[in-house]
Amino acid sequence: MTKGFLIAATNSGAGKTTSSMGLMAALRKRGQLVQGFKTGPDYIDPAYHAVISGRPSYNLDTFMMGTDGVINQFESASRGTDISIIEGVMGLFDGMDSTEIAGASHVAKTLGVPVFLVINVHGMSRSAAAMLKGYAEFDPDVHVAGVILNKIGSPRHLELIKGALDGKIPIVGALPRNSDISVPERYMGLHLPEEENLDYSQLADFIEENMDIDLILQIAAAYEKERPEPTEAKSAEPTEAKSAEPTEAKPRVADVTIGIARDPSFCFHYPAMFDAMRLAGAELVFFSPTKGELPEADGYYFAGGYPEFHVKELSESPATGKLKELAAAGIPMLGEGAGLSYLCESYETKDGVFKMAGILPAESRITSKLQGLGYAQAKPLSPKFGTKLIHAHEFHYSLTEPAKDAEFAYEMLRGKGIADKKDGLYEYNVLAGYMQMHPGSFPIADFVEKCRLNKRK
């Protein structure tokens, strides 16, 4: 069994990211081997976790992965570590639509881990007791084991709140207001870790001073002994995805090479996707198209990111000019979000229209308005794209206008897609769409096999 806990909050912006990152930094400073996780489909918070912990941080999403997949991921990634810290998403009980699915509470119940609830107490005193009571009793299967009071205004403020609480749930943290500890945001979320010069040592000291870390670890250890074996959890809901890539399976000997675009233009990656590719027998080679790099490979993967900030460099990159020739030769490619825009004919930003790889018969453009956000479910339109439903996520500010005769891979049962409730433009052996895929339901092993078959020709 794995010792761990989940940091949740009453709502977004209450302080769970600061608390989660701070605890990781403080425990790492103590010499602990910390494994980070993020509830939901977010890419950026896990990137910070990875910098702080020195290990990849994994997403736990019961919609994209199913409950079995969440359990497998948690246990395999936590193996050999001292403590696992899961950062929640939104409010504790906020899930997909009006359900608990994919929410922090669903993950906590699936794994049987204790929850430490962050409450932003700015402008309140006795009301904090009402909030804590409501969250603690809303779902008896979710164990709120401690509370973290954020934005404490003064010692007097803290005493007022303590006097209102009944003491049944311990205060494990009381964080004073500190404007020096924050991460700047932009339209698609937090800035990336490499864009900021954050002092994680200062953050660790702040948490060490204002949280009872020993009590948090003691509570986590008690739940580790008491909670049931994770194999008892089931993926019963019809809207959930079964785990398609069990992480405990024996990896295949690497016999195919896949180039992974990884730079500021293509920076949204799930570590689980890399693990699944390796499991299927792929050796991964990371490169920067923005810098003109394009290694020799049997296939290429272009994930989401911020190409609009580097569009001129991408347009002039030697790598961009070579891709269509490789695609015409049958080299498989997979694109998501930014990867879709990059593989199209052109990409329009406020600075003009820029030529892209020219593989897909479509034109893409960035907008100032959010165009797609939320969970997606899609049905393959042909067996060549698989036979099972895809569970994914959409988050994009761009629009893509395909040619009238463009071929699509998926019909959207939930979500927007590219056009006419369809997603996944397909040309040659190149597939790209707006859905951000996770190996919990996307058959990434099929893509690796396609690269393998092309190599043998």
Side-chain angles (χ1 to χ4, degrees):
M1 298 293 286
T2 300
K3 181 166 65 176
F5 55 86
L6 188 147
I7 300 291
T10 54
N11 57 281
S12 293
K16 63 179 174 290
T17 297
T18 298
S19 297
S20 302
M21 289 169 51
L23 279 165
M24 291 178 193
L27 288 166
R28 184 85 188 276
K29 200 168 184 178
R30 284 186 176 195
Q32 297 278 293
L33 192 57
V34 180
Q35 177 60 55
F37 295 94
K38 173 66 180 180
T39 305
D42 180 56
Y43 292 101
I44 300 179
D45 286 341
Y48 280 94
H49 300 172
V51 171
I52 294 170
S53 68
R55 301 170 59 87
S57 176
Y58 289 85
N59 296 74
L60 300 175
D61 190 300
T62 55
F63 175 72
M64 294 197 298
M65 305 165 66
T67 52
D68 290 344
V70 164
I71 293 166
N72 288 341
Q73 185 68 84
F74 182 72
E75 292 295 334
S76 62
S78 298
R79 195 170 294 124
T81 63
D82 296 311
I83 187 71
S84 293
I85 300 176
I86 308 164
E87 179 181 347
V89 60
M90 300 176 66
L92 172 57
F93 296 106
D94 297 322
M96 186 175 70
D97 299 332
S98 298
T99 74
E100 68 174 6
I101 295 173
S105 63
H106 199 198
V107 169
K109 289 164 64 171
T110 296
L111 297 174
V113 295
V115 173
F116 297 110
L117 182 70
V118 181
I119 302 177
N120 181 350
V121 296
H122 176 68
M124 71 170 74
S125 57
R126 188 166 178 258
S127 295
M131 293 183 72
L132 179 57
K133 179 179 176 63
Y135 277 83
E137 297 180 2
F138 183 77
D139 185 340
D141 292 327
V142 177
H143 305 292
V144 178
V147 61
I148 298 169
L149 306 174
N150 191 28
K151 300 292 181 69
I152 295 291
S154 67
R156 167 70 173 159
H157 185 202
L158 178 58
E159 289 305 314
L160 289 173
I161 296 173
K162 283 182 176 179
L165 299 179
D166 60 16
K168 294 180 181 178
I169 297 176
I171 298 173
V172 298
L175 309 181
R177 298 174 197 167
N178 190 334
S179 60
D180 294 332
I181 298 177
S182 64
V183 182
E185 297 190 38
R186 59 171 157 239
Y187 63 92
M188 289 187 74
L190 300 176
H191 283 206
L192 295 169
E194 56 267 29
E195 297 177 284
E196 300 298 325
N197 186 25
L198 296 181
D199 188 345
Y200 299 110
S201 178
Q202 179 187 14
L203 177 60
D205 292 343
F206 176 72
I207 294 299
E208 190 74 60
E209 292 169 7
N210 297 291
M211 281 196 194
D212 191 339
I213 298 178
D214 291 332
L215 177 57
I216 289 172
L217 294 176
Q218 179 183 334
I219 292 171
Y223 275 82
E224 178 190 13
K225 295 176 182 178
E226 295 174 5
R227 77 177 191 263
E229 289 293 328
T231 51
E232 294 181 7
K234 294 179 171 61
S235 297
E237 291 87 342
T239 54
E240 290 187 34
K242 281 282 189 177
S243 175
E245 305 285 353
T247 51
E248 68 272 19
K250 185 177 180 181
R252 176 172 176 162
V253 175
D255 60 353
V256 64
T257 301
I258 296 179
I260 308 291
R262 187 164 67 173
D263 63 21
S265 298
F266 310 98
C267 52
F268 296 159
H269 297 106
Y270 292 129
M273 187 69 91
F274 298 158
D275 291 349
M277 288 183 183
R278 293 186 178 107
L279 185 67
E283 177 185 355
L284 308 186
V285 179
F286 298 94
F287 69 102
S288 171
T290 309
K291 293 181 179 178
E293 300 170 356
L294 187 66
E296 185 175 339
D298 305 306
Y300 298 92
Y301 174 47
F302 300 91
Y306 298 107
E308 60 271 24
F309 297 147
H310 312 278
V311 65
K312 187 174 185 294
E313 293 90 336
L314 284 171
S315 181
E316 298 173 351
S317 167
T320 305
K322 295 177 184 176
L323 285 173
K324 186 170 184 178
E325 179 183 342
L326 294 176
I331 298 293
M333 300 179 195
L334 178 63
E336 302 169 0
L340 166 64
S341 298
Y342 181 58
L343 295 170
C344 285
E345 296 282 352
S346 64
Y347 191 45
E348 181 179 354
T349 72
K350 61 182 179 59
D351 297 317
V353 179
F354 296 85
K355 184 178 179 181
M356 292 288 105
I359 299 170
L360 301 174
E363 297 175 342
S364 192
R365 59 186 171 90
I366 192 73
T367 72
S368 59
K369 181 182 177 182
L370 184 63
Q371 300 296 334
L373 173 63
Y375 284 106
Q377 186 183 54
K379 179 177 69 174
L381 290 168
S382 165
K384 69 182 177 183
F385 303 117
T387 57
K388 297 181 179 179
L389 293 181
I390 302 296
H391 289 238
H393 188 262
E394 290 182 284
F395 186 20
H396 58 96
Y397 279 75
S398 68
L399 287 171
T400 297
E401 299 175 357
K404 292 183 179 180
D405 59 348
E407 181 181 1
F408 287 94
Y410 306 108
E411 176 188 353
M412 303 299 293
L413 305 181
R414 176 191 176 94
K416 187 174 181 179
I418 295 173
D420 302 323
K421 300 292 284 186
K422 292 183 175 61
D423 199 45
L425 279 173
Y426 187 74
E427 188 79 12
Y428 303 114
N429 277 327
V430 178
L431 173 65
Y434 276 125
M435 286 192 294
Q436 298 170 342
M437 306 294 196
H438 189 282
S441 69
F442 179 70
I444 189 62
D446 291 353
F447 174 71
V448 176
E449 181 61 21
K450 183 173 288 189
C451 296
R452 183 176 291 112
L453 292 173
N454 178 76
K455 178 180 180 179
R456 292 173 182 170
K457 289 181 180 178

